[in-house]
Structures are given as structure tokens and as C-alpha cells.
Amino acid sequence: MIVLTAGCAGASVISEPDKVQTLHGNDKTVITFWHTYNDRETRLLMKKLIPAFEENNPDIRVKCINLANSNELKYSLIARASSNRGPDVVRMDIAWVPEFAHKNLLEPLDGFPGFDQLEFAFYNKGLSIGFYQDEYYSLPLNLYTKTAIFNRKLLKQAGYSEPPGTMDEILEVARKHRFMIGLGGLDPWDTLPYIYSLGGSFVDPGFTRATGYLNSPGTVRAVEKLTGLYKEKLIHLSAVTLNSDNWEKVRNGNMLITDDAPWFYSLLKYSELKLALEQTLPVPFPRSIVPSTIIGGENLVIMKGSRHPAEAWAFIQWMTGKEAQLIMSRSGLIPANREALNEMKVSPDSYLYPYVEAVDNGFLRPTVKNWGKIEMMYTLYLNKIFLGELPVQQGLDLAAAEIDGLLIDKDY
């Protein structure tokens, strides 16, 4: 596996992270931190956060290794942690944390000094992600949401100064004016905000069953509306066509609405960002029966077998604290720390404003160990439905039954 390491002495390409030699003296304790920050975020990490942490903790040095967020990374972490060869600290996708906790690959954090003071420090759903069998295995690091992104010119052409207030009305505007809707794909991340906005659901609040939710009348109706537009060629699936150009299409006026997380704005240079905001309008997904904005993010974990758990704990406390969170928020990441989020100054004119606004009205994907398999099953059946291989009700019935089995599966 080829990875990019952005160590404190500079960046280089390596093939075996374990064999990277630190340039720091032997009197320092070196902890290894694997992360998935993008280029802009990594610059802040290396220029601001790591130096500040090391200044406050002169006996600790942090060796940072930057990797792509992918299944290859997930499987590599599982293999390494299973044999106690993993890194000390990992910035981990929140969807992975429950599986790693179930596999006993993470160190419980409850016993570290100061943990009991953190109960109310984070966004209200953040700590629950790492809770398993009465112990906590992660600390929330950052959040991100998806917003509905509209083309301003097409809205005006349809007679709207602001986006319609319901998803039903948005879809009707698209049908009436033959405007395109852009979905990234048919996985939960891409489709659940639309389904929830249309009155559908996925699983019960306790994450124990999908039957009665994924195949409910509300979800059937929502999926029928979406598949109807797809048959009329008014929904563009960039993952299906292998043409990931929804962002450019909505900017250029070839698409009424798409959706995305804030990084498609945050990575733009100032002049380009200004133009993009003149062309597009990001707003939270319209709420129906339940919150409709999906929440993603990363948590920090200490891997099982860490040789320096006390130093790793000091590092993740720093990274999830107010100062570090506010520094990283400059890159467009939303702090998971409540104090930092409250202090974060976001202008109503900023691209980030609707993303921050949507956090309290968002939902998490099920925090269960089999999430990866559930995601694959959901996507498989939605593909069959959209391609006309299965009627909507039958496809959702079959998907719900399969997902029920994965939700009640207690084996590791």
C-alpha cells in the first residue's frame, strides 16, 4: 500500500509506514498518527496543530501519516491492529468505529484521566458513536453535513427567489421545467437525505430492524418518486455513468439541484469561491417527519496494542479541545467540540453557514458493527429498483429483510 506521510520534517512517499525513521531524538516519545485530512487540512495540521501540541508536550513527538479514506485503509488497519502493529492514534470515519469496537481493536477511553469531564464537551450525538458494551472507544473530532445545492439561475427561471420549502415541491419544479437533479449514487450517503425529506425512513431509532421502516409506505412513496424521475431522465447518477460532474453541472446551469459536503466550496480559491456562490445556493435539506440532513465526520481512536497509550490520550485530548478545533475549522471542518462550535464565527453569507445550521437537524447512519455490509445491501437493492429489475415494494421488502439479519447478527 503506497501512502503519503507528512511528517514534521516534511512530506515523502513511503511504502512501509512501520519502517519510517523519526528525525527526533531518542529522549522523546514518538506516537504515530494516521489521518485522512485533505491537502488544505493537512497544512493546518502540520503548520499549526502539531507544533502547538509538541510545544505544550515537549516529551512527545507526533509522526503523521496521511492516507486515502478507502476500504484498503480499513482492511489494513484491521490487519495491523489484530497483530498489535497498528498506529497509536487514527482519525477514523465515524461509520467504522462501531465495527472496530466490536472487533476489540480499540482501546477503551473511559479509564484515562479526565475522560469523565468530557461527557458534555461534544456535539450531542458524537460520543454515542464510540459507545459499546458500557465503554467509550472514540472521541469526536470533526463533523460534516450535506446540503442541497441549487443553481440560482434555474431557481429564478422557475419563479423562485429562494428554494422551495419541501422536497416534493423541488421534484415537481424539476419535472415541470425539465430540470436535472444530480445524485452521486444510490448508496445511503447519497440517497437517504432525499428519502427522508420525502417522508421515508430507514431503520428504527434503536438500530434493531429495517422492516417497517425501509419498506414502509412513506419510503415506498419516496423511492417511487425518485425512480419516476430517473425513468424520465431527470435524475443524473454520476456513479452509474462514471461521470462525476454534478458539481460543475449545477454551477453551469445544467442542473437544478445536487448535494454535497462543504469541501467542494472549501477547496476553492477565493475568486473561484466567490463565483461559485454567485452561481449556486447551498441550503439544509428540507425536513419532513424526521431530520433530513445526513451527518458524517471523523472520530479519534487509540488502536489496540498502542505502545504509548498515555501519550496518545494526551494527543487526542488536545486535538478534540477548543483551541485545536477552532484552528482546524479554518479549513471548513465543523468542530465536534461544543465550545468551539459555539465560538466559531460563521457569517450568514458564508458557504459554511447552512452546513453549521444543519448540524442540529441531522441524523447519523446506524452506529452498528455491520454497517459496511448493510450499506452494500441497501445499495444493491436500490440499484435493482432504479434499473427496473425489481418493483419498488418488492425490492425494499427484500432489502429490509436482509438488513434485519445484519442488524441482529451478534457474531464478530
Side-chain angles (χ1 to χ4, degrees), residues 122-126 142-147 284 291 293-296 333-336 338 341 344 352-364:
F122 301 105
Y123 165 73
N124 58 0
K125 297 175 184 175
N142 58 266
L143 304 168
Y144 49 81
T145 59
K146 298 182 84 173
T147 62
T293 299
I294 194 166
I295 294 175
L333 288 175
I334 301 172
R338 283 180 181 274
L341 184 58
M344 186 178 173
L352 198 57
Y353 188 82
Y355 291 94
V356 175
E357 189 181 34
V359 166
D360 285 330
N361 191 33
F363 66 92
L364 292 169

Side-chain angles (χ1 to χ4, degrees), residues 150-152 247-248 250-252 265 268-281:
F150 289 85
N151 177 272
R152 293 179 183 270
W247 175 238
E248 284 303 317
V250 78
R251 284 191 62 182
N252 295 334
Y265 288 106
L268 296 175
K269 295 180 180 179
Y270 175 77
S271 58
E272 191 67 16
L273 173 60
K274 184 178 179 182
L275 176 59
L277 287 173
E278 291 172 356
Q279 298 167 323
T280 64
L281 177 62

